[in-house]
Amino acid sequence: MKRWLAAFALPLLALAQTPRTWRLDYVHSGTATEEHLALAGLTLEGEWPGRLDRSIDDSNLGKYLFEVIDRRSNRLLYSRGFASIYGEWETTSEAQELRRAFHESLRFPAPPGPAQVVVKKRDRQNAFRELWSVVVDPASQEVDRSASQSQVWAVMKNGEPRDKVDLLLLGDGYTAAEMEKWHNDARRLTEVLFSVSPFKENRRRFNVWALDTPAPESGVARPSDGVYRRSPLRASYDAFGSERYVLSFDNQRWREAASSAPYEFVEIVVNDRKYGGGGIHNLYATVAADNASTPYVFVHEFGHHFAGLADEYYTSEVAYVSSAARLEPWEPNITADAKSPKWKDLVSPGTPLPTPWAKEPFEVYEKQVQAKRREIRAQKRPESEMEALFRSELAQTIKLLSQPPYADKVGAFEGGMYESKGYFRSQADCIMFTRNMAGFCAACRRAIERVIDLYAAP
């Protein structure tokens, strides 16, 4: 397999040592039953920040996959799996009622000549099938070659971008007078991420960059609270009707702001206290800067974005319509096969599959917590009350999930991916399951390490 991958990496290695970055913008539209893509534009950005010897994605992550194929030789130059806002929206009830369109982008090293870009999507058996294809030409006059004027600064630099995982932090809702706060938040959250394994052990393999994007008003939009802001990156709470879900639907705006920075991963930090965040694989993650749960949200949502990790919780309300199908998920930390999970080589000897845990008392307790949570939001009570509820919840859930004999074992624990039955996680607790900052489960840690290896030199 390694020889095969190396052979397909040769076309990129034959390019200049620092090729430019191409950004292909397109419009992604449809409903719950149909889907369309159309070219929106081509932009030449700064130097490509990634490794040229790992141009082919063998991670099997993402609901979608794109490939860049050289038109002359028909060789595969580059590929990456990804997820998208459209891919999430099509699973909501709204997608069953109306058509919507979303602006999206693909980034890849500039090809040596005309290339075919193919976007694929998983079918009902989770196999990738071609969805859209377009031919692009680096010599075309339609390519936007204008330079970006953004000012990039290093939060943490451990080497040249091509040798490291490059994370870009973007602040939204910080006024010019709050730039010192933004810089302090960027540094604080960087330290949070690299205090958690396996990021902690791999700190030297990362660079963290940041951009200043001053806002006319402090904070971002919170429509359910009657708060509206035209912040520079247009981040907003209430995505898909979920009051805690923070997304930016203005892809072109934040992409243009980021275009001069070396990045593979992006975190949008919103200047707000209300609990919230979001994370989409190979798009971006978001987090509210000033909540008591900010450290947890930052790391949890970055897990979605960085390694395509699934949510392991299933008691909180979400915007997505449940599916009766129980296919093996592509996400690396959830399985539908308790008897032979994808992490079976990590299962602790003597651990039964599926693995018993305090599931019933946990669900009884969580039902009470979620009722209280809805009450606090419905009555517009202070954020401090939500923070207090989460503190008491965490203390109780840690007590329930730390019960022997399997609390620290790797097995197959039922409940995950928003479903109480049919899906299983690798350990009783994980930062993808609760707000416990103890860290990631074994399956999540391995998935994260594999992505680090894809982007960073050893």
Side-chain angles (χ1 to χ4, degrees), residues 184-432:
N184 289 336
D185 286 346
R187 296 186 180 99
R188 170 174 57 90
L189 291 175
T190 296
E191 293 306 314
V192 165
L193 180 64
F194 293 100
S195 70
V196 178
S197 295
F199 295 108
K200 176 170 61 177
E201 293 80 2
N202 289 279
R203 180 182 181 120
R204 66 175 182 82
R205 302 177 74 185
F206 282 76
N207 290 329
V208 181
W209 311 93
L211 286 172
D212 298 345
T213 53
E217 294 181 276
S218 184
V220 300
R222 304 193 313 273
S224 60
D225 296 327
V227 176
Y228 297 89
R229 296 282 189 274
R230 287 185 176 270
S231 57
L233 308 180
R234 298 297 196 269
S236 175
Y237 288 78
D238 299 286
F240 304 146
S242 174
E243 51 86 20
R244 70 179 186 276
Y245 199 10
V246 179
L247 294 178
S248 169
F249 288 90
D250 197 333
N251 175 73
Q252 187 166 6
R253 186 177 292 272
W254 76 258
R255 289 284 188 184
E256 290 181 352
S259 63
S260 61
Y263 74 90
E264 287 132 346
F265 300 94
V266 174
E267 182 89 25
I268 299 175
V269 181
V270 300
N271 187 26
D272 214 297
R273 181 179 177 180
K274 185 177 182 178
Y275 179 87
I280 299 176
H281 179 51
N282 266 350
L283 180 61
Y284 58 68
T286 67
V287 64
D290 298 325
N291 191 271
S293 295
T294 290
Y296 151 74
V297 175
F298 182 88
V299 178
H300 174 101
E301 300 298 351
F302 192 70
H304 288 309
H305 171 43
F306 186 78
L309 303 179
D311 279 317
E312 297 180 11
Y313 63 78
Y314 61 91
T315 57
S316 299
E317 293 180 354
V318 294
Y320 312 116
V321 178
S322 178
S323 171
R326 287 294 183 272
L327 292 175
E328 181 63 18
W330 59 262
E331 291 88 346
N333 59 323
I334 293 290
T335 185
D337 187 356
K339 294 296 185 181
S340 184
K342 60 189 70 171
W343 53 81
K344 60 185 176 182
D345 58 311
L346 301 176
V347 173
S348 305
T351 302
L353 300 175
T355 311
W357 66 286
K359 188 170 186 285
E360 184 175 351
F362 176 85
E363 291 173 351
V364 170
Y365 175 71
E366 277 296 311
K367 186 176 181 180
Q368 299 169 3
V369 170
Q370 298 308 319
K372 184 68 174 177
R373 183 175 177 174
R374 288 190 296 271
E375 179 184 309
I376 291 173
R377 285 295 184 237
Q379 297 178 3
K380 307 290 185 184
R381 285 150 68 176
E383 193 65 24
S384 59
E385 292 193 29
M386 187 68 78
E387 293 173 339
L389 174 65
F390 287 163
R391 283 194 296 270
S392 62
E393 178 194 24
L394 180 59
Q396 181 63 20
T397 54
I398 288 177
K399 186 183 302 182
L400 286 170
L401 297 172
S402 61
Q403 294 178 6
Y406 304 113
D408 60 345
K409 306 297 183 184
V410 178
F413 297 77
E414 189 172 39
M417 214 167 180
Y418 318 133
E419 302 284 351
S420 65
K421 297 185 179 299
Y423 288 124
F424 303 81
R425 58 195 192 276
S426 75
Q427 291 188 257
D429 202 3
C430 174
I431 203 167
M432 303 308 292

